[in-house]
Amino acid sequence: FLDSDAQGGVDELTTYLKNAYETEDHVLLLSTGDMWQGSSESNLTKGYVITEWMNHLNFAAMTLGNHEYDWGETYIENNATLAGFPLLAINIYDRDTNERVSYCQSSVLVQRGGARIGIIGAMGDCYSSISGEMSGGIYFKTGRELTDLVKSEAQALREAGADFIVYSVHDGHGSSSSGSISDSALSAYYDPILSEGYVDIVFEGHTHQRYVLTDGDGVYHLQGGGDNKGITHAEATINFANGRSEVTTAELISSTTYAHLPDDPIVETLMEKYKDQVSAGDAVLGYNDSYRSGDYLRQLVADLYAKVGEEAFPDYNIVLGGGFLSVRSPYNLAAGEITYSQLQMIMPFDNTLVLCSVKGSDLKKKFINTSNSNYFIGYTAYGRSLGGQIDNNATYYIVVDTYTSTYAPNGLTEIARYTSGVYARDLLADYITAGGLK
């Protein structure tokens, strides 16, 4: 949200977007999701500061991303109430009612300069990217079911007078590129049949890539990456005489385009409003004497999980700590004084530590011998004493967090929980405060 040495904020972007409203015709701002995750300011306010910023800039709609679920549905509902724009997700359903979740709309029809623009929002097949603890009450309709929902919604919007259909989907291509994209490459996350008259342009997200691609029907697919590196921009003309529309511009706009602009005061105004929450991240924890890579930090957290397990659950012979551990921008810790906000940016996820039992065969396959580079493990003294001799049919105990424990293929059974509200970054914060990185 704020400029830092590690990455840019929205200070200058706000000015750029306001200038666009003043100099361009019929501006429409959209988000394809993951808006509330990535900065300490947003995390400490549970997304509210970002939602208010979006209100100030008159966003037309926001599609939900998987990281909107990082704090559970309650905070989505709270942000939906705060937002002056609709949250979109045509395919997220309540398990109990089998109805679309109440805090989302399937689409919205807006008007700019006499043209009516229909905007359909959807979450891609990102269910496994959400902690099971935060998503137990919902399910996604994907694949053919999602295609049918979008087709039906597009037809309904056309019948309601839509001149142009935008599809905003929180999913996307797996690499940054430009040019054309084949149907086979698209089909991993998008049904090419939607380009046959149902949608006119597709804004995408989730994969953190930067691209402007055209499919076989000439429909543009755009994604602007992540970490405030830039935005995507398109222009379309609509001929009211024959009802035809054409995308005349589709491009990536780098943050370097607006980095020189003056800061807009709304950013400081919002920071002042939320200063009590945000200031909690400003205190200096300690000193880091050298550059620490993301992998170094993840391994350190796995070791700290193991240590917590030994201390908190002495009645169990715990083998290891760790599991799926993710880091976010700036993906490392530079030398110097360290604040809690820095740790919250790198390890933002609120996943509680848990003691779990696991069958020996799963322990070896999913943790010790895994090929998943995001899994890190730290052995306890007992774990080291085993010397790698794990009985496939025996039961063992490990300490992970709820992102790993609720992922069913890991075969874990929760036994007990560690202190509520203590997450990976908090263990790291205590370690730094105790001088661990000097």
Side-chain angles (χ1 to χ4, degrees):
F1 188 71
L2 288 176
D3 280 334
S4 70
D5 292 338
Q7 66 185 77
V10 300
D11 314 64
E12 303 92 354
L13 174 60
T14 308
T15 302
Y16 179 80
L17 294 175
K18 284 187 174 181
N19 288 344
Y21 275 119
E22 294 177 0
T23 60
E24 304 292 338
D25 293 329
H26 320 313
V27 173
L28 188 71
L29 293 183
L30 303 173
S31 164
T32 54
D34 284 0
M35 286 297 288
W36 302 332
Q37 186 57 272
S39 75
S40 176
E41 299 88 1
S42 185
N43 288 346
L44 289 167
T45 63
K46 294 297 187 286
Y48 300 162
V49 70
I50 299 296
T51 299
E52 289 216 45
W53 174 77
M54 294 173 73
N55 283 343
H56 182 75
L57 281 169
N58 193 30
F59 270 68
M62 169 182 158
T63 299
L64 282 186
N66 55 294
H67 284 299
E68 267 67 71
Y69 282 91
D70 281 352
W71 310 301
E73 290 183 280
T74 296
Y75 288 105
I76 299 177
E77 293 167 349
N78 292 347
N79 274 283
T81 300
L82 178 63
F85 50 88
L87 303 183
L88 304 180
I90 195 172
N91 60 326
I92 303 180
Y93 280 70
D94 187 293
R95 288 191 185 278
D96 293 331
T97 65
N98 285 322
E99 300 288 339
R100 186 177 299 110
V101 291
S102 60
Y103 45 81
C104 288
Q105 295 178 202
S106 56
S107 67
V108 64
L109 187 62
V110 300
Q111 188 159 318
R112 293 291 188 276
R116 285 160 292 190
I117 302 106
I119 306 158
I120 303 171
M123 178 90 75
D125 192 1
C126 308
Y127 190 82
S128 63
S129 297
I130 305 174
S131 171
E133 190 171 58
M134 302 298 183
S135 60
I138 61 170
Y139 67 94
F140 299 171
K141 290 188 176 182
T142 59
R144 175 55 62 180
E145 284 188 304
L146 174 56
T147 295
D148 290 343
L149 286 172
V150 175
K151 287 171 64 176
S152 177
E153 194 72 14
Q155 290 172 327
L157 287 168
R158 298 283 191 200
E159 291 170 3
D163 301 295
F164 191 82
I165 302 291
V166 175
Y167 184 32
S168 171
V169 57
H170 191 74
D171 209 348
H173 190 48
S175 62
S176 295
S177 55
S178 61
S180 61
I181 184 169
S182 67
D183 284 357
S184 60
L186 266 181
S187 61
Y189 67 93
Y190 173 86
D191 192 336
I193 198 173
L194 295 177
S195 296
E196 298 177 8
Y198 294 100
V199 303
D200 297 305
I201 194 168
V202 188
F203 289 101
E204 302 172 355
H206 185 58
T207 57
H208 298 200
Q209 304 301 313
R210 289 173 56 79
Y211 54 76
V212 176
L213 300 167
T214 52
D215 62 28
D217 291 286
V219 171
Y220 282 98
H221 298 252
L222 300 89
Q223 185 178 175
D227 305 327
N228 285 343
K229 295 296 190 296
I231 57 176
T232 53
H233 169 243
E235 294 182 3
T237 60
I238 296 169
N239 187 320
F240 293 114
N242 59 23
R244 294 179 181 175
S245 63
E246 179 186 7
V247 175
T248 55
T249 300
E251 62 182 348
L252 300 171
I253 297 177
S254 169
S255 59
T256 58
T257 302
Y258 45 82
H260 66 285
L261 296 176
D263 294 347
D264 188 274
I266 187 59
V267 175
E268 284 299 330
T269 299
L270 289 173
M271 286 298 293
E272 177 65 22
K273 177 176 181 178
Y274 289 101
K275 65 180 180 181
D276 289 343
Q277 295 99 308
V278 172
S279 63
D282 294 337
V284 175
L285 301 171
Y287 191 82
N288 172 33
D289 64 9
S290 65
Y291 169 90
R292 312 285 178 170
S293 70
D295 283 357
Y296 177 96
L297 297 173
R298 291 194 284 182
Q299 183 58 59
L300 175 55
V301 166
D303 293 335
L304 293 173
Y305 278 19
K307 182 180 179 182
V308 162
E310 288 181 305
E311 295 173 351
F313 308 110
D315 295 333
Y316 294 85
N317 286 323
I318 297 170
V319 176
L320 58 83
F324 187 105
L325 298 172
S326 182
V327 290
R328 289 293 186 261
S329 180
Y331 306 101
N332 60 70
L333 204 55
E337 291 184 336
I338 304 301
T339 66
Y340 188 77
S341 290
Q342 288 175 274
L343 301 185
Q344 190 160 41
M345 287 182 66
I346 296 170
M347 293 187 165
F349 308 115
D350 294 357
N351 298 317
T352 302
L353 276 67
V354 290
L355 170 68
C356 295
S357 63
V358 60
K359 191 176 178 181
S361 56
D362 284 326
L363 177 61
K364 289 193 292 185
K365 182 178 180 181
K366 304 295 184 178
F367 294 88
I368 296 174
N369 299 322
T370 182
S371 60
N372 190 323
S373 61
N374 287 309
Y375 274 68
F376 287 75
I377 60 172
Y379 286 101
T380 62
Y382 172 73
R384 289 190 294 272
S385 74
L386 294 175
Q389 300 303 308
I390 303 295
D391 183 343
N392 285 342
N393 296 311
T395 297
Y396 297 90
Y397 299 95
I398 64 175
V399 172
V400 298
D401 60 42
T402 48
Y403 188 89
T404 297
S405 68
T406 56
Y407 184 61
N410 283 334
L412 302 181
T413 299
E414 182 178 320
I415 303 297
R417 294 200 166 199
Y418 188 57
T419 306
S420 176
V422 176
Y423 309 118
R425 62 180 176 270
D426 298 302
L427 301 183
L428 196 54
D430 290 343
Y431 183 82
I432 293 171
T433 300
L437 292 185
K438 285 186 178 179

